[in-house]
Amino acid sequence: MTIGIIGSGNIGSAFARTLARAGIGATIANSRGPDSLKDLVLELGPSIKAGTREEAASADTVLVSVNWRKLPSALADLPAWGGRIVIDANNPIEAPLFKPVDLNGRASSEVFVDLVPGARVVKAFNHLQAHVLAGDPRAEGGQRVLFYSGDDPAAKAEVSGLIERVGFFGIDLGPLAVGARLVQFPGGALPVHNLVRFG
Ligand SMILES: NC(=O)c1ccc[n+]([C@@H]2O[C@H](COP(=O)([O-])OP(=O)(O)OC[C@H]3O[C@@H](n4cnc5c(N)ncnc54)[C@H](OP(=O)(O)O)[C@@H]3O)[C@@H](O)[C@H]2O)c1
């Protein structure tokens, strides 16, 4: 499974760091092009490569972590998704004002799904602050918890496997209509809670 990352800021680079720690390869992209990512990929090590937005978007699984209002342009004019997995790590709120976006009652993932037609969307990697996501998933003698949700069982199984490989404990929150709302920030009950599972 190849992995692409669109958005190399706080969350994109935190996700890349968790992959790098586990020796998993990925192509990471931003709006300014691969040259602007030289220092980041040098720091993360050889498994993470800088690429164009199109290169990152061509992977089997693509994590998207972009400022809410910039999602439409970040996801425009890309190759057809054709059933590939897209991980929605986004929240409908933006620094520095942290003013919630009016979604007309829809879950943010429902809005996101419309931006990636034909993709199998899994909501994940959005409920923790970036510095926690980037840190060691072994915590307090247990494993840090990540939630995931989605409507395609096979896509969720892939993301669950990835969560496991990078050392977190994944919890399936069900379909997007249920799970994405629980982890959405603001509004959901789960964001920001840094939970640890003891086996
Ligand atoms: N920060 C957190 O702790 C946190 C936690 C959970 C969820 N989230 C969510 O994760 C998402 C990203 O947040 P963040 O804090 O990582 O934001 P960020 O640090 O501002 O990074 C945003 C990234 O999006 C890229 N981008 C913007 N427009 C693009 C385009 N047209 N094509 C490709 N890349 C584009 C930016 O690239 P350039 O810099 O090159 O423009 C940048 O790398 C947001 O939806 C946020 O709500 C954040």
Side-chain angles (χ1 to χ4, degrees), residues 8-11 30-32 53 66-67 74 89-91 126 128 130:
S8 61
N10 297 307
I11 286 292
N30 61 9
S31 75
R32 288 164 290 148
R53 190 177 66 105
V66 168
N67 323 83
N90 306 285
N91 282 318
N126 77 303
L128 290 176

Side-chain angles (χ1 to χ4, degrees), residues 65-181:
S65 51
V66 168
N67 323 83
W68 183 257
R69 285 178 206 282
K70 294 180 180 168
L71 281 169
S73 55
L75 295 170
D77 305 321
L78 289 172
W81 293 104
R84 288 179 295 119
I85 298 170
V86 175
I87 302 175
D88 171 16
N90 306 285
N91 282 318
I93 193 160
E94 281 184 9
L97 296 178
F98 294 105
K99 187 169 175 266
V101 176
D102 183 1
L103 301 170
N104 292 320
R106 299 174 83 197
S108 67
S109 270
E110 291 175 301
V111 178
F112 181 86
V113 162
D114 289 347
L115 299 175
V116 288
R120 292 180 293 158
V121 173
V122 177
K123 182 86 184 174
F125 296 98
N126 77 303
H127 96 279
L128 290 176
Q129 286 182 295
H131 71 274
V132 181
L133 179 63
D136 191 340
R138 288 166 303 181
E140 316 285 336
Q143 261 178 305
R144 217 180 289 293
V145 168
L146 288 183
F147 300 108
Y148 60 95
S149 54
D151 298 334
D152 184 284
K156 279 206 297 193
E158 287 282 354
V159 174
S160 164
L162 184 60
I163 287 172
E164 219 170 276
R165 280 171 73 199
V166 295
F168 288 84
F169 186 79
I171 296 181
D172 183 351
L173 294 179
L176 280 183
V178 176
R181 282 184 190 272

